[in-house]
Amino acid sequence: GAVVSQHPSWVICKSGTSVKIECRSLDFQATTMFWYRQFPKQSLMLMATSNEGSKATYEQGVEKDKFLINHASLTLSTLTVTSAHPEDSSFYICSAPRGGVGYGYTFGSGTRLTVV
Amino acid sequence: AQTVTQSQPEMSVQEAETVTLSCTYDTSESDYYLFWYKQPPSRQMILVIRQEAYKQQNATENRFSVNFQKAAKSFSLKISDSQLGDAAMYFCAYRRTNSGNTPLVFGKGTRLSVIA
């Protein structure tokens, strides 16, 4: 149980275009979703926290206008990379709390974004 | 702010042998949770084991066990009878237990290679 489905798993887009990444909680209600970015051979860097029905909270240094996060329902959170540039190429992962506070988090399978 | 430190960027182990991955953390809180996550080449984050800070007994999950030293703020992972499928990045993570959904704080990771 507690599955987060993330799509697409990989995407290639042209510079200047926008890309939307979706994370759906399949068997539970995700009131909170965390979005991470991971560079090759590095750890996960928290980008933002989204809560259903309210504005996302962004970490310092993350451009709010470039990385638009929407959490309109209890089962869907989206990250839109707007006007993508090659430096936005990365691996993006979503994560939601599962079960009680001590049960860690369940992660989506990640999205590999390549901007050409 | 809480920090998690993994001082071993890379480790290797012979198949069937035992290996220990180190993790230390810094916090002023007395109650929290600690986790080890595995990220194989597929990059899917997988929960390996978790430890509640108020429990003195070390957590164990099959071949995986931890050595939790609260006073020393140390949380090492021992993998016994290592298998080829254990090769992955391993991340140590910390979570606060106060109200609300707080993000995991990750270490930089340890890349484990298993030698046949």
Side-chain angles (χ1 to χ4, degrees), chain B residues 19-54:
Chain B
V19 65
T20 298
L21 308 183
S22 301
C23 173
T24 58
Y25 59 93
D26 187 25
T27 183
S28 59
E29 301 181 4
S30 59
D31 198 15
Y32 47 86
Y33 287 87
L34 297 165
F35 306 88
W36 278 98
Y37 279 89
K38 169 185 178 181
Q39 188 180 42
S42 68
R43 303 189 79 170
Q44 174 71 59
M45 295 289 283
I46 301 167
L47 178 63
V48 175
I49 199 166
R50 66 188 183 96
Q51 175 78 43
E52 298 159 279
Y54 65 88

Side-chain angles (χ1 to χ4, degrees), chain A residues 58-95:
Chain A
Y58 291 82
E59 296 300 302
Q60 190 172 8
V62 177
E63 298 178 60
K64 301 178 182 181
D65 295 332
K66 166 165 282 295
F67 300 101
L68 299 179
I69 291 174
N70 184 280
H71 196 149
S73 76
L74 290 172
T75 59
L76 175 64
S77 178
T78 62
L79 166 65
T80 301
V81 183
T82 63
S83 186
H85 290 113
E87 55 265 34
D88 299 325
S89 298
S90 192
F91 191 71
Y92 295 88
I93 309 175
C94 61
S95 176

